[in-house]
Amino acid sequence: MASSALGGKRNVKIFLLYLMQNVRIPLDFATLNDMVMQTDYVMYLDMAEAFHELLDDALIEMSDEPIDDSTEGGAPADEPRYVVTPKGRIVAEQLHSELLPTILDESLRCALRYLDFRRRGIKTRCTVTQCPDGTAEFFCSVEQDGKVLFETRVSVDSMIRANQMEENFRARPEAIYKGMWSLLSGNVNYLFS
């Protein structure tokens, strides 16, 4: 989906302000971009253009807060970080209701997960492969600092089912990891809580 999923450039700006305000830490451009790209609601060029317009309109500004390594997640120390200005907060609070709450909720959840995973050195991988017999193979893994925490490969009857699995894993890898851990350790109550 392009920025049209949000309804235009104005909504991309509101979207960025909303994310930046709710993440509550100064963000460098690359980290903000990576957070936004966790969903398909905004394309890179739309994001970059909106970011620079927010800066020009004084809705965001460079942060003068000292860098806290425990929350920054390994971003380069020499990269400028940005925060929402008081004017930007007013705009975000007044206009965020123009965007679908489900888009905002999903995007914020993905952004926070991205920052948490980055801070802890967690990476996820997921692939889908079509097999010659018409079936498909789904693969996913969770790694922390180069060590595999969880890895699974499943053969399924169709690409449709494999693509559903991929979509579910990409949306909530932490829940899938926790669910598999609970099942394998015998804590099936997790599934019903």
Side-chain angles (χ1 to χ4, degrees):
M1 291 182 223
S3 66
S4 60
L6 296 177
K9 188 189 305 185
R10 179 174 184 250
N11 284 345
V12 173
K13 291 179 188 179
I14 296 167
F15 178 79
L16 291 176
L17 287 172
Y18 176 83
L19 283 181
M20 290 179 74
Q21 179 177 338
N22 285 286
V23 167
R24 299 178 188 209
I25 61 170
L27 298 167
D28 62 281
F29 179 83
T31 300
L32 179 61
N33 177 62
D34 290 346
M35 281 174 28
V36 170
M37 295 301 130
Q38 298 301 302
T39 62
D40 293 328
Y41 295 124
V42 180
M43 294 178 63
Y44 171 78
L45 293 176
D46 296 322
M47 182 271 182
E49 186 177 340
F51 176 85
H52 291 293
E53 288 182 17
L54 290 171
L55 203 51
D56 292 342
D57 294 341
L59 298 174
I60 61 174
E61 65 187 2
M62 260 198 284
S63 173
D64 56 2
E65 292 180 37
I67 296 169
D68 178 359
D69 289 336
S70 68
T71 59
E72 293 300 315
D78 59 345
E79 287 295 315
R81 279 141 171 95
Y82 300 90
V83 293
V84 177
T85 64
K87 178 180 170 185
R89 277 193 286 282
I90 292 169
V91 170
E93 288 167 6
Q94 290 179 348
L95 300 178
H96 83 272
S97 63
E98 293 183 16
L99 300 177
L100 287 173
T102 54
I103 289 175
L104 295 175
D105 291 345
E106 178 187 359
S107 298
L108 181 58
R109 182 175 43 80
C110 288
L112 292 172
R113 181 183 63 231
Y114 169 78
L115 290 173
D116 179 52
F117 279 19
R118 180 174 162 173
R119 181 184 55 80
R120 295 189 298 150
I122 295 176
K123 294 183 180 177
T124 61
R125 288 189 311 141
C126 186
T127 59
V128 170
T129 307
Q130 176 88 47
C131 299
D133 65 357
T135 62
E137 183 178 86
F138 166 76
F139 169 82
C140 64
S141 69
V142 177
E143 300 176 8
Q144 184 171 16
D145 298 325
K147 180 180 179 180
V148 175
L149 300 177
F150 165 77
E151 181 177 88
T152 193
R153 188 175 309 272
V154 180
S155 293
V156 294
D157 61 345
S158 68
M159 282 296 288
I160 292 171
R161 189 172 317 276
N163 288 331
Q164 283 177 318
M165 291 174 150
E166 178 183 30
E167 187 177 313
N168 289 334
F169 180 78
R170 290 190 190 282
R172 307 249 355 228
E174 71 285 356
I176 291 172
Y177 172 68
K178 185 176 179 183
M180 287 299 293
W181 180 265
S182 296
L183 280 173
L184 293 171
S185 65
N187 182 14
V188 293
N189 291 334
Y190 164 76
L191 297 175
F192 303 108
S193 56

